[in-house]
């Protein structure tokens, strides 16, 4: 039996996604820029996927630009805004961002931009008061993720957009929506989002494809130049199989988004309740589970090293992720989100992330809990020796 609880890292493409991509790879393999029928056939897949995405978000089709994923989208967004900054040098960001944003901000700091961090509440959410206090007439950009990939915390993007729009109407608002797109409702226009990054592989689509939403009327210079694809904004022959697969994944994600969310929320509640009843020293990192994204659960497991637990579970065919993504001893490098919550390196090393998809089941959750009741006491005995 294989239990895949690492859907925050990536998800399994659905059968229809694979079918759609296979169709493109085997039949509609033309280059969308070619003028002949084979090219037009491929182009139709790109047009259809863009339409599906635009309709899901209630935005015009021409605001969606396909990229190689959220890393490219966020780099294009942040570096592009910086390139046309003029005299404005002030950037506001949330602590605990994914490195696609965090490391790009470090590059901008090296170029002389002033990066200031917004305060978080004790649960790790951006405090709106802090945004109101820190935003200035010379604030160039505010960047914040919608759902944190490690903790599932939901930042108040809708309200942040209103604050930014009222306090500094020219300030650009970028949102990393990788962990929320297709899982929670998003309204880029109503929420005053200017730029938004996504990746297909978090919603049962393929890897290496995403899009950048660019609000109508906002000019952004391209990061990649060349053949002039994507209306001269993102050069490079289109990843047509990836785009078609992404469109299909969006269609399926939006078919019953609320139903999928409540299913995953139910799994999360069952897992946490059963685990904390049966094992002592288990607690949630971040906000109460009812307040976080349905698919993410971040747990502190006292006296257990998460990396050892991860590999032990692997032997049972169970896949989760550990709190720490690298060997560094600095909390902020180990885990940007958990260190933003104030956890020290030791607590981060005892934290795990369990992340669900709509295809996980209650039986899988109960089996996970059963295995945990066997392995956690064993690992604790080992650690205490
Ligand atoms: N932002 C968040 C919140 C993520 O979870 C990820 C992926 O883990 C990314 C950005 C980067 O996405 P990709 O690796 O698909 O470019």
């Amino acid at each position: 039996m294989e239990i895949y609880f690492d859907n925050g890292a990536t998800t399994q493409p659905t059968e229809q996604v694979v079918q759609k991509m296979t169709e493109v790879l085997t039949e509609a393999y033309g280059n969308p820029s070619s003028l002949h029928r084979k090219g037009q056939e491929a182009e139709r897949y790109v047009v259809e996927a863009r339409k599906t995405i635009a309709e899901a978000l209630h935005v015009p089709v021409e605001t969606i630009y396909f990229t190689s994923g959220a890393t490219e989208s966020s780099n294009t967004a942040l570096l592009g805004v910086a390139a046309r900054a003029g005299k404005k040098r002030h950037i506001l960001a949330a602590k605990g961002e994914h490195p696609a944003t965090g490391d790009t901000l470090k590059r901008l700091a090296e170029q002389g931009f002033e990066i200031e961090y917004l305060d978080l509440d004790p649960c790790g959410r951006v405090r709106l008061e802090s945004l109101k206090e820190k935003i200035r007439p010379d604030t160039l950009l505010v960047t914040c993720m919608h759902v944190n990939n490690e903790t599932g915390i939901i930042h108040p993007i809708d309200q942040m957009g209103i604050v930014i729009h009222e306090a500094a109407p020219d300030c650009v608002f970028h949102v990393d929506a990788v962990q929320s797109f297709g899982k929670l409702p998003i309204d880029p226009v109503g929420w005053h989002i200017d730029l938004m990054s996504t990746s297909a592989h978090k919603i049962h689509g393929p890897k290496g494809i995403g899009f950048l939403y660019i609000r109508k009327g906002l000019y952004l210079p391209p990061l990649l130049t060349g053949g002039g694809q994507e209306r001269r904004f993102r050069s490079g022959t289109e990843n047509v199989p990836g785009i078609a697969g992404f469109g299909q994944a969006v269609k399926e994600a939006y078919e019953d988004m609320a139903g999928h969310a409540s299913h995953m929320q139910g799994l999360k509640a069952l897992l946490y309740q059963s685990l904390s009843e049966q094992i002592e020293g288990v607690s949630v990192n971040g906000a109460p589970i009812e307040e976080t994204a349905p698919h993410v659960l971040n747990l502190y497991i006292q006296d257990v090293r998460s990396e050892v637990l991860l590999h032990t579970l692997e032997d049972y065919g169970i896949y989760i992720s550990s709190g720490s993504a690298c060997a560094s001893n600095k909390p902020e490098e180990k885990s940007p989100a958990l260190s933003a919550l104030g956890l020290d390196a030791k607590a981060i090393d005892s934290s795990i992330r369990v992340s669900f998809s709509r295809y996980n089941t209650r039986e899988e959750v109960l089996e996970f809990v059963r295995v945990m009741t066997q392995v956690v006491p064993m690992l604790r005995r080992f650690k205490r020796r």
Side-chain angles (χ1 to χ4, degrees):
M1 187 175 180
E2 185 178 288
I3 300 179
Y4 185 76
F5 281 168
D6 198 13
N7 293 281
T10 198
T11 55
Q12 184 181 25
T14 67
E15 271 175 33
Q16 290 115 298
V17 165
V18 173
Q19 204 180 333
K20 193 75 151 191
M21 293 178 73
T22 307
E23 208 173 285
V24 176
L25 286 164
T26 55
E27 293 162 35
Y29 52 80
N31 185 328
S33 298
S34 297
L35 296 178
H36 48 65
R37 199 165 357 114
K38 209 72 195 148
Q40 288 164 5
E41 185 187 14
E43 165 89 31
R44 276 199 292 277
Y45 282 88
V46 177
V47 169
E48 186 193 316
R50 204 188 312 274
K51 185 161 170 274
T52 301
I53 292 166
E55 282 175 2
L57 290 170
H58 304 292
V59 297
V61 281
E62 62 274 17
T63 59
I64 304 297
Y65 294 86
F66 289 111
T67 64
S68 65
T71 301
E72 184 191 321
S73 296
S74 293
N75 272 262
T76 307
L78 271 49
L79 299 175
V81 171
R84 40 139 256 179
K87 290 208 170 70
K88 291 187 180 180
R89 313 300 280 177
H90 183 236
I91 296 176
L92 284 170
K95 269 198 187 130
E97 289 288 307
H98 187 276
T101 297
D103 284 4
T104 311
L105 289 174
K106 282 186 202 153
R107 283 170 68 185
L108 293 179
E110 284 161 16
Q111 291 173 25
F113 286 89
E114 178 193 351
I115 318 290
E116 195 179 358
Y117 290 93
L118 297 164
D119 300 332
L120 306 178
D121 71 13
C123 292
R125 280 177 293 245
V126 161
R127 285 185 53 242
L128 282 179
E129 285 311 312
S130 167
L131 176 61
K132 284 180 195 163
E133 280 158 26
K134 292 184 175 176
I135 196 161
R136 317 191 302 225
D138 70 330
T139 304
L140 171 71
L141 169 76
V142 177
T143 180
C144 183
M145 69 209 314
H146 188 191
V147 165
N148 187 283
N149 50 305
E150 295 180 76
T151 58
I153 281 157
I154 305 173
H155 289 297
I157 296 298
D158 49 346
Q159 297 165 66
M160 288 175 72
I162 294 170
V163 171
I164 298 164
H165 191 66
E166 285 174 359
D170 295 336
C171 172
V172 176
F173 186 26
H174 168 253
V175 175
D176 169 345
V178 170
Q179 295 287 346
S180 60
F181 178 57
K183 298 196 181 92
L184 295 176
I186 303 178
D187 178 9
V189 176
W191 298 358
H192 303 288
I193 295 172
D194 296 299
L195 299 166
M196 188 171 87
S197 307
T198 71
S199 261
H201 68 104
K202 310 287 185 180
I203 57 161
H204 305 281
K207 292 163 188 62
I209 186 75
F211 67 80
L212 176 64
Y213 161 79
I214 306 180
R215 191 248 305 152
K216 225 176 154 184
L218 180 74
Y219 170 72
L220 201 66
L223 186 69
L224 304 178
T225 42
Q229 288 86 351
E230 291 294 278
R231 297 183 310 289
R232 307 204 70 76
F233 181 70
R234 199 278 186 178
S235 288
T237 302
E238 295 88 340
N239 173 359
V240 187
I243 292 171
F246 194 5
Q248 178 63 32
V250 172
K251 223 178 251 173
E252 292 170 39
Y254 271 79
E255 250 157 33
D256 182 17
M257 196 158 66
H260 301 154
S262 90
H263 173 67
M264 291 188 282
Q265 193 71 42
L267 298 180
K268 182 164 74 161
L270 176 68
L271 191 148
Y272 181 56
Q273 198 185 354
S274 314
L275 204 63
S276 49
E277 270 169 18
Q278 295 186 47
I279 305 177
E280 277 180 25
V282 173
S283 55
V284 176
N285 289 321
I289 61 167
E290 319 75 61
E291 294 174 23
T292 52
H295 65 300
V296 186
L297 178 61
N298 198 304
L299 296 173
Y300 169 72
I301 318 247
Q302 195 187 341
D303 288 333
V304 168
R305 280 202 55 217
S306 53
E307 209 181 312
V308 180
L309 176 60
L310 180 150
H311 290 301
T312 308
L313 290 174
E314 192 180 4
D315 291 339
Y316 291 82
I318 298 173
Y319 302 99
I320 58 154
S321 94
S322 62
S324 164
C326 72
S328 153
N329 267 331
K330 291 188 186 154
E332 62 279 13
E333 284 176 12
K334 269 182 186 293
S335 159
L338 296 182
S339 94
L341 276 173
L343 271 70
D344 60 17
K346 192 165 164 278
I348 293 173
D349 277 339
S350 288
S351 296
I352 60 168
R353 179 186 67 179
V354 182
S355 47
F356 305 105
S357 85
R358 59 182 185 261
Y359 299 109
N360 287 127
T361 63
R362 293 175 71 83
E363 288 69 36
E364 289 176 327
V365 168
L366 296 175
E367 175 62 9
F368 171 81
V369 173
R370 192 190 66 76
V371 172
M372 286 286 280
T373 57
Q374 284 182 12
V375 303
V376 169
M378 184 186 78
L379 295 177
R380 279 179 175 164
R381 270 202 303 278
F382 181 67
K383 186 159 188 254
R384 280 173 185 152
R385 253 184 218 159

